[in-house]
Amino acid sequence: MDQRVGLFVLLAAGLLCLSVASLSRAEELVEEGLGDDIDVEDELDLGLAGAEEEEMEELDGDVQDEDSSPKTPPAPKVTYKAPEPMGEHFIAESFDRGTLDGWVVSSAKKEDADEDIAKYDGKWAVEEMKDSKLPGDKGLVLKSRAKHHAISAQLLRPFTFDTKPLIIQYEVNFQLGIDCGGAYVKLLTQTPDLDLDQFVDKTPYTIMFGPDKCGEDYKLHFIFRHKNPKTGEYEEKHAKKPDADLRTYYTDKKTHLYTLGKTHTHTHTHTCAHSCAHWVRHERQIRCKGCLCRPPVVNPDNTFEVLVDQTVVNSGSLLTDMTPPVNPPAEIEDPDDQKPEDWDERPKIQDPSATKPEDWDEDAPAQIPDEDAAKPEGWLDDEPEYIGDPDAVKPEDWDEDMDGEWEAPQVPNPACETAPGCGTWKRPMIDNPNYKGKWKPPMIDNPNYQGVWKPRKIPNPAFFEDLQPFKMTPFSALGLELWSMTSDIFFDNFFITDDRNTADRWANDGWGLKKAAEGAAEPSLATQMLNAAEERPWLWVVYVLTVALPLVLIIVFCCTGKKKTPATTAAEYKKTDEAQPDVKEEEEEEGEEEEKAEEAEKSSPEEKSDGEDNPEEEEDAEKEDEKEATADEKLEDDVLRRSPRNRKVRRD
């Protein structure tokens, strides 16, 4: 029992240590994650004394010395600095000027809509987020709900699809969540009559990309309009639905970076490309950390990837992963072909040689009264199941001429409450064992079966083969044309380029800084657990079980073990083959008997010599030997009876 108690005490201590270690490790991981995020951008006060002292030697004393006395590291501080585009780009808009300069709010009306909602009168504003972690960081905010919104801006120059990739990225924050609405962008096709002031839903676009949600349908659009080389008409091509779960991006109220691109892995040893996704800058020097660069690209090789927060959520080819396909089928079914009248598509038919059996009764009912049933004793045949309410009173305003004769409402008959039933008793219905239903001939294989008829194939007159759908129609403007039932949707850092490094640098300077700031303000693990339990109360059960279950098991195994008493029955020992407590005493008794037998053997020569002189004494000795042998046999029988399987319970 003492060993068991010790074992479970050690087990409890181990579980407690594991729990504390897991919690501490989780908090360390959160802190490390925050540290990694903060390393992304400039102007980050890390507040780590040792690291600062090492970097001061590298930076030639540009950073002030820290106090050598041990201090608690301060909370990470992230200072906002507006991103600056470096490199080739077509638009770079951070809205940090605080104005809508360069943007045109549409004043058009939507066709085929009621006059009350047809006008694009939704409000736009440039302001900080409601719960901004970066003071001074501003963005474009959709302010109205249940209204049409449209705003657009010209690119620095039109984008032409040739040998360079297309890179699109921007940020969205659903500050109030999202019930039903979109946050996608449209790249407006370059046309001579493009008027941004009249931007509507039917304005031609080349690509539409971004999040959209209504009800429980979470979408991330990637649509491009493909021009039919034969007819000149445009048709929308939709990318396949992402396999990833997108729900979190719409509900966590965090800023997310939406990109359209292809993954490019970057490795290095001592040096790092300037576009690395994670870096730490200190004035004139750049210290690089391991990185995986994910620039958003629609490539000239017709491949694409859709990313959220630099994580791929969808990828594929413009040739094979769009619906409907870019290229139509080479053959189609002949619309003029008709099925012959004698074409037999039936795989099974009724056996024409089958006949109905003579004893088949089609008129037998499916159910019949149970003849073995008997009316229960006490059944009240003369009592109705319901009676008029004796306490009901006719309303004073009851008009028999208008309302008819008044009758009391029906209530259950109180006399039937104690009886098995009231009213006329009827036998219960049971399934008829002789019921067979309507007879039908059995089915057999159709000897004339010809298969399912299909029209013949003919060459598709509209067939074409476009092996370079990447070469889309040039576009010259970026616009947002949205309807939303939720307001305060935050947009920021629109960027279009054809250079991967430039896109990476812009993402790191903008979204990377936001991520670092949001990570620095992230609550502790315990706070996150409490917040999660408030949103999902069932988590309290998980928490309680995680803590209480080990304690309950320890108490059960340590404090409720069975104790063997002298009064334990022989049946229990017999079931477990467990030895009784008196086995040791029996072994001692057997040892004493053996010692007596040895002493008797030693004294036997002397008795034998004496017996030769005295025959009577010899006879007496033989009788004593026989008695001792009989006693030994009895002793052995007693030992066998007292074995764990045969002996009975001893009494004190």
Side-chain angles (χ1 to χ4, degrees), residues 4-19 550-551 553-554 557-558:
R4 183 184 297 178
V5 172
L7 177 62
F8 282 102
V9 169
L10 291 175
L11 177 61
L15 289 173
L16 182 60
C17 292
L18 287 175
S19 302
L551 298 178
L553 292 176
I554 293 171
F557 284 103
C558 292

Side-chain angles (χ1 to χ4, degrees), residues 170 183-185 208-212 219-222 250 258:
Y170 69 104
Y184 44 80
V185 298
M208 188 175 102
F209 168 67
D212 188 14
K219 297 179 180 179
L220 185 53
H221 293 296
F222 168 41
Y250 297 82
Y258 292 89

Side-chain angles (χ1 to χ4, degrees), residues 82-119:
E84 296 180 2
M86 298 180 182
E88 196 74 16
H89 63 279
F90 294 83
I91 188 172
E93 180 60 78
S94 64
F95 299 100
D96 290 318
R97 299 187 307 273
T99 65
L100 285 174
D101 292 345
W103 290 79
V104 179
V105 178
S106 176
S107 60
K109 289 186 178 182
K110 190 172 184 178
E111 298 179 6
D112 303 328
D114 295 338
E115 185 67 23
D116 297 338
I117 61 173
K119 190 174 182 180

Side-chain angles (χ1 to χ4, degrees), residues 15-280:
L15 289 173
L16 182 60
C17 292
L18 287 175
S19 302
V20 174
S22 300
L23 184 61
S24 302
R25 180 59 182 161
E27 292 178 350
E28 291 174 4
L29 290 175
V30 172
E31 294 175 359
E32 291 175 3
L34 298 182
D36 290 342
D37 291 338
I38 294 171
D39 285 344
V40 174
E41 284 300 332
D42 308 329
E43 308 296 337
L44 305 186
D45 183 10
L46 300 179
L48 303 177
E52 289 292 344
E53 291 175 359
E54 293 178 1
E55 292 177 1
M56 274 187 278
E57 296 178 0
E58 299 176 0
L59 301 177
D60 300 329
D62 289 342
V63 183
Q64 295 182 357
D65 296 333
E66 298 226 355
D67 189 2
S68 59
S69 59
K71 293 183 179 180
T72 303
K77 180 182 178 182
V78 182
T79 304
Y80 178 70
K81 181 180 178 181
E84 296 180 2
M86 298 180 182
E88 196 74 16
H89 63 279
F90 294 83
I91 188 172
E93 180 60 78
S94 64
F95 299 100
D96 290 318
R97 299 187 307 273
T99 65
L100 285 174
D101 292 345
W103 290 79
V104 179
V105 178
S106 176
S107 60
K109 289 186 178 182
K110 190 172 184 178
E111 298 179 6
D112 303 328
D114 295 338
E115 185 67 23
D116 297 338
I117 61 173
K119 190 174 182 180
Y120 284 87
D121 55 355
K123 302 299 181 182
W124 298 91
V126 175
E127 61 188 25
E128 296 183 12
M129 284 190 290
K130 293 181 178 294
D131 187 19
S132 177
K133 304 299 187 299
L134 283 174
D137 179 21
K138 297 179 181 180
L140 178 66
V141 181
L142 182 148
K143 299 296 294 181
S144 308
R145 60 182 303 273
K147 288 183 178 295
H148 292 290
H149 302 74
I151 191 171
S152 56
Q154 287 282 355
L155 305 185
L156 298 178
R157 61 190 178 281
F159 185 94
T160 303
F161 295 86
D162 45 25
T163 60
K164 290 187 177 182
L166 169 64
I167 304 171
I168 309 168
Q169 63 185 26
Y170 69 104
E171 301 167 15
V172 178
N173 187 312
F174 297 106
Q175 301 184 83
L176 304 179
I178 183 71
D179 294 327
C180 185
Y184 44 80
V185 298
K186 291 182 177 181
L187 307 182
L188 305 182
T189 304
Q190 182 185 17
T191 58
D193 57 348
L194 177 61
D195 184 3
L196 300 185
D197 184 64
Q198 297 298 312
F199 175 33
V200 293
D201 58 328
K202 294 184 179 180
T203 300
Y205 68 89
T206 300
I207 289 178
M208 188 175 102
F209 168 67
D212 188 14
K213 185 252 184 182
C214 198
E216 291 301 315
D217 189 10
Y218 299 86
K219 297 179 180 179
L220 185 53
H221 293 296
F222 168 41
I223 306 171
F224 77 94
R225 295 173 72 244
H226 180 259
K227 183 178 181 180
N228 188 315
K230 280 196 168 184
T231 64
E233 297 179 354
Y234 286 89
E235 185 179 21
E236 290 184 351
K237 309 295 182 181
H238 296 249
K240 64 182 181 180
K241 188 175 182 180
D243 296 330
D245 185 6
L246 307 176
R247 183 187 303 267
T248 304
Y249 305 129
Y250 297 82
T251 58
D252 61 3
K253 300 180 182 179
K254 293 183 179 180
T255 303
H256 295 288
L257 177 68
Y258 292 89
T259 59
L260 182 63
K262 180 178 177 61
T263 303
H264 167 68
T265 304
H266 169 73
T267 59
H268 58 85
T269 54
H270 300 291
T271 61
C272 179
H274 196 58
S275 60
C276 181
H278 297 285
W279 53 24
V280 178

